[in-house]
Amino acid sequence: MSFSAELKNCALPPHHTQDTLGAAFTELRALLGPENVEIVSTASLDDKSYYDPPKTHDPFHILGQDELVASAVLRPGSTEDVQAIVKLANKHRLPIWPTSIGRNFGYGGAAPRVRGSAVVDLGARMNKVLDLNEPNAFALIEPGVTFLGLYEEIQRRGMKLWVDSPDLGGGSVLGNTLDRGVGYTPYGDHFGTHCGMEVVLPNGEVVRTGMGALPDKNQPTGSANTWQLFPYGFGPFHDGIFTQSNYGIVTKMGVWLMPDPGGYQAFMISFQKDEDLHPAIEIIRPLRIAGILQNTPSIRSATLDLAVGGPRKDYSLTGKPLTSAEIDNAVAKSTTKIGRWSFYGALYGPEAVRDVFWAAIKGAFSKIPGATFHFPSDVPPEKSVLHIREGTLRGLPTFTELEWTNFVPNGSAFFFSPISPVSGDHADRQYKLAKDRCDEFGFDYIGTFTVGMRELHHIVCLVFDRTNEEEKKRAYKMLNLMVQDCADAGYGEYRTHLALMDQIAGTYNWNDNALMKLNETLKDALDPNGIMAPGKSGVWPQAYREVKKRVVSGTSKI
Amino acid sequence: MSFSAELKNCALPPHHTQDTLGAAFTELRALLGPENVEIVSTASLDDKSYYDPPKTHDPFHILGQDELVASAVLRPGSTEDVQAIVKLANKHRLPIWPTSIGRNFGYGGAAPRVRGSAVVDLGARMNKVLDLNEPNAFALIEPGVTFLGLYEEIQRRGMKLWVDSPDLGGGSVLGNTLDRGVGYTPYGDHFGTHCGMEVVLPNGEVVRTGMGALPDKNQPTGSANTWQLFPYGFGPFHDGIFTQSNYGIVTKMGVWLMPDPGGYQAFMISFQKDEDLHPAIEIIRPLRIAGILQNTPSIRSATLDLAVGGPRKDYSLTGKPLTSAEIDNAVAKSTTKIGRWSFYGALYGPEAVRDVFWAAIKGAFSKIPGATFHFPSDVPPEKSVLHIREGTLRGLPTFTELEWTNFVPNGSAFFFSPISPVSGDHADRQYKLAKDRCDEFGFDYIGTFTVGMRELHHIVCLVFDRTNEEEKKRAYKMLNLMVQDCADAGYGEYRTHLALMDQIAGTYNWNDNALMKLNETLKDALDPNGIMAPGKSGVWPQAYREVKKRVVSGTSKI
């Protein structure tokens, strides 16, 4: 297809004509080479998008194809390329949307917030492990390094270091950290275990944070050798403002790696009754804060584990969400020894230490009648979530977890993730809030509570038929209501799909939206032309603030 | 004294006359009440400064009395007072310098960077523990809450929670965290264990960070009950830019508290030779990264422990810095069982867990010939640093540590704190760098290496006679050289006394000072009038940037 024909088929960003967009793309092609500037045809979106995701994970489908569509994909090969892209974006007022790998499917994948944005696909060519240090247990990576890639590089070098992978191992370590994702080993707080960034600012300048700002000509990076050892540096500590934000493009990041703890044992504790969630959470809180539960464990609904095991039709032929009796029945029939709720944790360290912790854990949970305790060796591996988690909880990148999207035909996944205190009452309230809405709207409640140091991430895993327009609209309507339900009850989401960013940002409105005013002040100072990821996390630059008003008022979708 | 007489005696800030300053103070007195606006007389500085520190800790003395002098002390009683002060400061272009308690004597106390700034003494009246929660193990505090105050409140309520105190217990928990100070329990990283802030911005607006931005009318704070449970919230995570910075005044902060671990044992390992530092650090690194050393331990020079025990004249009558032979002699005579280097650590948890860790620790350090292992029960308590550390390492606020300032007559303390990797070679290089300069300039080398997760904080404790002008100038000259020595070797400081802020900020200059340009962009966006703590961490607002040029070029001191 000719360049002009391609231009006709692609999504125009705001304030642009085919001519102005074509001028921008022409300069970008000269900069990166034509092979690294791919114009995205809206006509072909249904068959393929540039990063070729499995259709089940297509992030566009919750809102339909007119939204969240890129005009082009740019593939920089270096920090200098990224700087040059940013400078051209300023010149042409072209909105750009950086993405690392774009595999956070439940939160929108690689899709941009503003239709017609040029996606900067950092992962395609910037995918090197720049440093990997065993004695000091860290890596320095580019955006395209996946959890699996990092894991494999460590194995190749025979180092006794672990990675900390989220549920799926194909995503970007850097991208997940910037979205403040979590994993399941003791290094589960990815922001808390990163160290040092290199960031291209919206004006094209490149900064290094922390000790990276201290030059050292004798180091391969040109920065002090403590760049990946001490996160804070001197003066204001900036890294946090480059997460879930649109203030810069992170091109390098340090990540701390956990040394092999010298022993490991995964376990599952199964609870027989739906009401056991409350006492289980009450038991979890003090064990977690005391570090007896050493990692980021999770307690999962039976529906989630059943969905990993097979489609809904294996458990019910009604075509409707499973009833409580059907869930009980399916749990009873399962060979995987799951309960109505199943708690997945692990012990780390030498056997003598693990024994002390296990005695405390088993003793505490034994107070719940009917609780059963399982190690992977006790459970048949087929369709066993415990066997998947056994890998995940020691940082092994896995790929089977998201099988639950096949629970319904043509299933697509959407995560809704409010934060609550670690208490039985709050877990019950969270569960009821989500379950009631799911019942009302005809969806299965599928969920998991991931236990941070002092909070629950309640991850509601919504699965819907992406080919059914009515069902998609229904799902979106339900999600809108759940955001408001949560805000009314004092719960806020920690992360979100693009489709809910404005609504959720709007709930963090204490003192007349003081935090958003701060966000906008920073945005306008750093990005006066508003070219970088406009709308990310609900933060809109000056040039788009009229657009924002229309979006938030519901009169426009962008 | 009359108001006009007081004005005549106080230090004028830049761009001010007595009239304009008087107009500002008049409005501030109307706002806060005259008793909460204390004008500071330069004439009385030698006898007393407003916060009445012991003279040994007077922060002014390294540079002499013309520098770092406040014009007044303002004592707000509430966040609303702070907002009103900030608004008046904008109106009158009055530089203000917030301080919590101002006891970080080795780093400048409560003194302002710019002569004539009005110190905002947050600690005087804003000193409440607003929330203290045992099940979730956190506190919500105001700036005036000291480590001792928080500790005592916990004891009063009979809660099984620990605080994490730095070497002295009289400082502000909030202030220490904002300066990114460290303590010595497993919660030693104070920034890493804070959770949620309330911040008055330079425009007078108040924001709450993290989950604090989510309103909840049913909570006493008016914010979500996860404000102190989950630090990150939604969208950009701002807290880091309010540390070591001048972007806002933090008026409330959450702090995580460590639950009583169910067992505790402090220990000291003494090394006989100066050269034992190298192998000791090599042994420490893997133990620390693996979490077998569970806390932030430290390895201290014999001079530091000797100085706590008594003045230099107890060890030598030459009046000169101790020689290696004199140190050996003093160590041999000491009843406290210290070595040339002494390592202070602790074990936390049930006995069975402690036993495993102690076996690993003792086994590893036993490879150093002559290493001896001590518990507090083995050592006579008199002048025993181990007995002091036994308290500090379980978070007990103590007050005897800074006795080492009495090592020389009229001793004042100054901390110089470069960061290095945890390796024997780097520790040796750090030690030699500091020791050579101390020898050259006629000071005792007194130092400690505090071991963070992957880095050494090398704290050089300079003690000098504050009544000796020549000695002060010599000390300052030496410090200037050491900053450059360190930068040349790839080491940067993590924190500093006011007197070195510009020089140290200037060493973090990678890519043509890109990070400082970012700092200044943020500063100008948030504080267009440049009223808040100008010069803090070397960050100067637009209105003072000409001043900065003169300071950095050495033609002016402010």
Side-chain angles (χ1 to χ4, degrees):
Chain A
M1 213 189 308
S2 72
F3 181 61
S4 61
E6 285 188 297
L7 270 178
K8 267 188 202 150
N9 281 331
C10 83
L12 278 183
H15 318 308
H16 268 273
T17 63
Q18 277 182 34
D19 283 350
T20 62
L21 189 61
F25 288 169
T26 300
E27 283 203 65
L28 286 162
R29 289 163 82 130
L31 171 70
L32 300 172
E35 70 282 11
N36 291 315
V37 179
E38 182 180 335
I39 299 175
V40 175
S41 166
T42 53
S44 67
L45 279 175
D46 203 37
D47 305 319
K48 173 184 170 296
S49 73
Y50 73 91
Y51 58 92
D52 197 26
K55 284 183 71 175
T56 45
H57 304 144
D58 188 329
F60 304 143
H61 278 90
I62 190 78
L63 286 184
Q65 292 198 174
D66 290 343
E67 298 252 358
L68 315 179
V69 174
S71 59
V73 181
L74 316 175
R75 300 196 185 91
S78 66
T79 299
E80 292 70 26
D81 278 356
V82 175
Q83 292 180 270
I85 288 171
V86 167
K87 285 173 183 167
L88 282 178
N90 274 289
K91 177 178 171 187
H92 293 280
R93 302 293 192 273
L94 176 68
I96 55 176
W97 183 268
T99 182
S100 298
I101 296 282
R103 292 284 165 107
N104 56 339
F105 296 123
Y107 293 111
R113 178 69 188 87
V114 169
R115 179 182 164 88
S117 298
V119 165
V120 182
D121 180 1
L122 300 157
R125 298 166 64 206
M126 296 172 69
N127 49 24
K128 288 185 287 298
V129 177
L130 300 167
D131 196 1
L132 188 53
N133 184 305
E134 188 170 30
N136 292 293
F138 72 81
L140 177 66
I141 53 172
E142 290 189 316
V145 174
T146 64
F147 292 97
L148 179 65
L150 182 55
Y151 172 84
E152 288 181 338
E153 184 62 19
I154 290 167
Q155 304 315 307
R156 200 181 65 75
R157 301 198 199 181
M159 291 179 171
K160 293 196 168 187
L161 298 172
W162 287 13
V163 298
D164 181 282
S165 179
D167 296 282
L168 292 179
S172 161
V173 177
L174 183 151
N176 182 279
T177 303
L178 295 188
D179 212 26
R180 298 203 296 266
V182 298
Y184 299 94
T185 78
Y187 280 39
D189 173 3
H190 291 172
F191 181 75
T193 49
H194 95 284
C195 190
M197 293 177 175
E198 178 183 271
V199 187
V200 175
L201 298 176
N203 65 1
E205 283 250 10
V206 58
V207 299
R208 289 180 175 177
T209 67
M211 303 304 289
L214 194 91
D216 186 345
K217 276 175 290 189
N218 296 319
Q219 299 302 322
T221 62
S223 284
N225 59 4
T226 46
W227 187 18
Q228 273 61 67
L229 299 179
F230 181 63
Y232 302 135
F234 177 81
F237 172 53
H238 305 87
D239 293 27
I241 65 168
F242 297 115
T243 63
Q244 291 193 9
S245 87
N246 46 21
Y247 300 158
I249 298 178
V250 180
T251 46
K252 295 183 179 69
M253 191 187 77
V255 53
W256 286 355
L257 301 169
M258 179 170 153
D260 184 321
Y264 170 76
Q265 177 66 59
F267 63 84
M268 171 175 73
I269 306 175
S270 304
F271 306 104
Q272 302 317 306
K273 291 183 299 183
D274 210 23
E275 308 84 72
D276 289 340
L277 178 65
H278 189 291
I281 295 286
E282 285 295 307
I283 289 167
I284 288 168
R285 183 186 54 250
L287 294 174
R288 178 76 176 111
I289 295 183
I292 294 167
L293 290 169
Q294 298 160 274
N295 71 331
T296 308
S298 49
I299 181 164
R300 296 159 58 115
S301 71
T303 45
L304 181 54
D305 290 354
L306 292 170
V308 172
R312 188 207 276 148
K313 68 180 170 50
D314 288 1
Y315 308 109
S316 165
L317 294 174
T318 67
K320 291 182 187 168
L322 297 186
T323 65
S324 189
E326 284 169 337
I327 296 171
D328 276 337
N329 193 34
V331 167
K333 279 189 186 160
S334 171
T335 59
T336 61
K337 304 197 179 175
I338 60 169
R340 273 302 288 253
W341 294 95
S342 307
F343 179 72
Y344 296 90
L347 307 161
Y348 303 84
E351 190 170 8
V353 171
R354 299 201 313 268
D355 285 349
V356 173
F357 288 156
W358 181 239
I361 292 165
K362 194 170 179 183
F365 283 105
S366 293
K367 289 170 192 152
I368 299 179
T372 56
F373 301 81
H374 307 280
F375 297 122
S377 54
D378 315 330
V379 177
E382 202 198 356
K383 297 188 174 180
S384 160
V385 170
L386 177 54
H387 283 76
I388 301 173
R389 302 310 284 177
E390 194 278 335
T392 305
L393 271 60
R394 57 184 163 93
L396 194 69
T398 64
F399 292 84
T400 42
E401 175 68 39
L402 218 59
E403 291 295 317
W404 55 260
T405 52
N406 298 320
F407 196 55
V408 300
N410 311 304
S412 259
F414 191 107
F415 295 130
F416 177 73
S417 319
I419 296 287
S420 82
V422 186
S423 88
D425 287 352
H426 282 288
D428 275 356
R429 204 167 159 198
Q430 276 284 326
Y431 172 42
K432 182 171 178 356
L433 187 157
K435 177 89 168 53
D436 285 355
R437 286 294 186 194
C438 285
D439 287 347
E440 177 187 351
F441 281 79
F443 293 101
D444 288 286
Y445 168 81
I446 299 179
T448 174
F449 290 89
T450 295
V451 190
M453 193 54 83
R454 282 167 174 80
E455 99 294 335
L456 298 174
H457 287 55
H458 181 202
I459 316 289
V460 179
C461 308
L462 179 66
V463 54
F464 58 92
D465 181 344
R466 73 184 176 282
T467 64
N468 183 331
E469 286 303 317
E470 181 280 326
E471 187 166 323
K472 278 161 54 178
K473 282 189 185 138
R474 187 155 36 94
Y476 190 51
K477 169 82 176 159
M478 180 182 82
L479 290 163
N480 287 150
L481 289 171
M482 284 170 70
V483 171
Q484 195 56 50
D485 290 342
C486 282
D488 291 345
Y491 303 124
E493 287 69 49
Y494 91 105
R495 184 183 186 192
T496 187
H497 189 284
L498 300 161
L500 298 180
M501 280 179 179
D502 290 295
Q503 192 192 1
I504 289 174
T507 66
Y508 284 77
N509 60 12
W510 184 83
N511 190 27
D512 194 22
N513 285 298
L515 200 72
M516 184 52 79
K517 288 176 199 162
L518 171 59
N519 285 337
E520 290 177 348
T521 299
L522 297 177
K523 180 63 179 169
D524 292 339
L526 295 170
D527 186 11
N529 296 322
I531 53 100
M532 194 173 283
K536 171 81 182 175
S537 297
V539 180
W540 294 91
Q542 187 62 50
Y544 288 77
R545 219 149 288 154
E546 286 302 310
V547 174
K548 174 188 172 174
K549 276 187 199 162
R550 296 199 302 273
V551 174
V552 172
S553 70
T555 57
S556 168
K557 284 182 160 183
I558 302 185
Chain B
M1 211 188 310
S2 72
F3 181 60
S4 61
E6 286 189 296
L7 270 179
K8 267 185 202 150
N9 282 330
C10 83
L12 278 183
H15 319 308
H16 268 272
T17 64
Q18 276 181 37
D19 283 351
T20 60
L21 189 61
F25 288 169
T26 301
E27 282 203 67
L28 286 162
R29 288 163 80 128
L31 170 71
L32 300 171
E35 71 282 10
N36 292 314
V37 179
E38 182 180 335
I39 298 175
V40 175
S41 166
T42 52
S44 67
L45 278 176
D46 203 36
D47 307 319
K48 172 183 170 298
S49 73
Y50 71 92
Y51 58 91
D52 195 27
K55 284 183 70 174
T56 45
H57 304 146
D58 190 328
F60 303 144
H61 277 90
I62 190 80
L63 287 184
Q65 290 197 178
D66 290 343
E67 298 252 359
L68 316 178
V69 174
S71 59
V73 181
L74 315 176
R75 300 196 185 91
S78 64
T79 299
E80 291 71 25
D81 279 355
V82 175
Q83 292 180 269
I85 288 171
V86 167
K87 284 173 185 167
L88 282 178
N90 273 288
K91 178 180 171 187
H92 294 280
R93 302 292 193 273
L94 176 69
I96 55 176
W97 183 269
T99 182
S100 298
I101 297 281
R103 293 285 166 108
N104 56 337
F105 296 122
Y107 293 111
R113 178 68 189 86
V114 170
R115 179 180 164 88
S117 299
V119 165
V120 182
D121 180 0
L122 299 158
R125 298 165 65 206
M126 296 172 70
N127 49 23
K128 288 186 288 300
V129 177
L130 300 168
D131 196 0
L132 189 53
N133 183 304
E134 188 170 30
N136 292 294
F138 72 82
L140 177 66
I141 53 172
E142 290 189 317
V145 174
T146 64
F147 292 98
L148 180 65
L150 182 56
Y151 173 84
E152 288 181 340
E153 183 62 20
I154 290 167
Q155 304 315 307
R156 200 181 64 76
R157 301 198 199 182
M159 291 179 172
K160 295 200 166 183
L161 297 172
W162 286 14
V163 298
D164 181 282
S165 180
D167 297 281
L168 293 178
S172 161
V173 178
L174 183 150
N176 181 278
T177 303
L178 296 188
D179 213 27
R180 299 203 296 265
V182 298
Y184 299 94
T185 78
Y187 279 40
D189 172 4
H190 291 171
F191 180 77
T193 49
H194 96 285
C195 190
M197 294 177 173
E198 179 183 271
V199 187
V200 176
L201 298 176
N203 64 0
E205 282 249 10
V206 57
V207 298
R208 289 180 174 176
T209 65
M211 302 305 290
L214 194 91
D216 185 346
K217 277 175 290 191
N218 296 319
Q219 300 300 323
T221 62
S223 284
N225 60 4
T226 45
W227 187 18
Q228 273 61 64
L229 301 179
F230 181 64
Y232 303 134
F234 178 82
F237 172 52
H238 305 85
D239 293 27
I241 66 169
F242 297 114
T243 64
Q244 290 193 8
S245 88
N246 47 20
Y247 300 158
I249 297 178
V250 180
T251 47
K252 294 184 179 72
M253 191 187 76
V255 52
W256 285 355
L257 301 168
M258 180 169 151
D260 184 320
Y264 170 75
Q265 177 65 59
F267 62 84
M268 172 176 71
I269 306 175
S270 304
F271 305 103
Q272 302 317 305
K273 291 182 297 182
D274 209 25
E275 308 84 72
D276 289 339
L277 177 65
H278 189 290
I281 295 287
E282 285 294 309
I283 289 166
I284 288 168
R285 183 186 54 249
L287 294 174
R288 178 74 177 113
I289 295 183
I292 293 166
L293 290 169
Q294 298 160 276
N295 71 331
T296 308
S298 48
I299 180 163
R300 296 159 58 114
S301 71
T303 46
L304 181 55
D305 290 355
L306 292 169
V308 172
R312 188 206 278 149
K313 67 179 169 54
D314 288 1
Y315 309 109
S316 166
L317 294 173
T318 67
K320 292 182 186 167
L322 298 186
T323 64
S324 189
E326 285 169 337
I327 296 171
D328 275 337
N329 192 35
V331 167
K333 280 190 187 160
S334 171
T335 59
T336 60
K337 305 199 179 175
I338 60 168
R340 276 300 290 251
W341 295 95
S342 307
F343 179 72
Y344 297 90
L347 308 161
Y348 304 84
E351 191 171 7
V353 171
R354 299 200 312 270
D355 286 348
V356 173
F357 288 156
W358 181 238
I361 293 165
K362 196 170 179 182
F365 283 105
S366 293
K367 290 171 191 150
I368 299 179
T372 56
F373 300 83
H374 307 280
F375 297 123
S377 53
D378 315 330
V379 177
E382 201 195 358
K383 298 188 175 181
S384 159
V385 171
L386 177 56
H387 283 77
I388 302 173
R389 301 311 285 177
E390 193 279 333
T392 304
L393 271 58
R394 57 186 164 92
L396 193 70
T398 65
F399 293 85
T400 42
E401 174 69 37
L402 219 59
E403 291 296 316
W404 56 261
T405 52
N406 298 321
F407 195 56
V408 301
N410 311 304
S412 258
F414 191 106
F415 295 129
F416 177 73
S417 319
I419 297 286
S420 82
V422 187
S423 87
D425 287 350
H426 283 289
D428 275 355
R429 203 168 161 198
Q430 276 285 325
Y431 173 42
K432 182 171 177 359
L433 187 157
K435 177 90 169 53
D436 284 355
R437 284 295 185 196
C438 285
D439 288 347
E440 176 187 351
F441 281 81
F443 293 101
D444 288 286
Y445 168 82
I446 299 180
T448 173
F449 291 88
T450 295
V451 191
M453 193 52 84
R454 281 167 176 79
E455 101 292 336
L456 298 174
H457 286 55
H458 180 205
I459 316 289
V460 180
C461 308
L462 178 66
V463 55
F464 58 93
D465 181 345
R466 70 181 178 284
T467 66
N468 183 332
E469 288 301 317
E470 182 278 325
E471 187 166 324
K472 280 160 55 178
K473 282 189 186 138
R474 188 156 34 96
Y476 190 51
K477 169 81 176 159
M478 180 182 81
L479 290 163
N480 287 151
L481 290 171
M482 283 169 72
V483 171
Q484 194 55 49
D485 290 342
C486 283
D488 291 345
Y491 303 124
E493 288 70 49
Y494 91 106
R495 185 180 185 193
T496 187
H497 189 285
L498 300 161
L500 298 180
M501 278 178 180
D502 290 296
Q503 192 192 0
I504 289 175
T507 65
Y508 284 77
N509 60 12
W510 184 81
N511 190 26
D512 194 21
N513 285 298
L515 200 72
M516 184 53 78
K517 289 177 199 162
L518 170 60
N519 286 336
E520 290 178 349
T521 299
L522 297 178
K523 180 64 178 167
D524 292 338
L526 294 170
D527 185 11
N529 295 323
I531 53 101
M532 192 172 285
K536 171 80 181 173
S537 297
V539 180
W540 294 91
Q542 187 62 49
Y544 288 77
R545 218 148 289 155
E546 286 302 311
V547 175
K548 173 188 173 172
K549 276 188 199 160
R550 296 199 303 272
V551 174
V552 172
S553 70
T555 57
S556 167
K557 282 182 161 185
I558 300 185

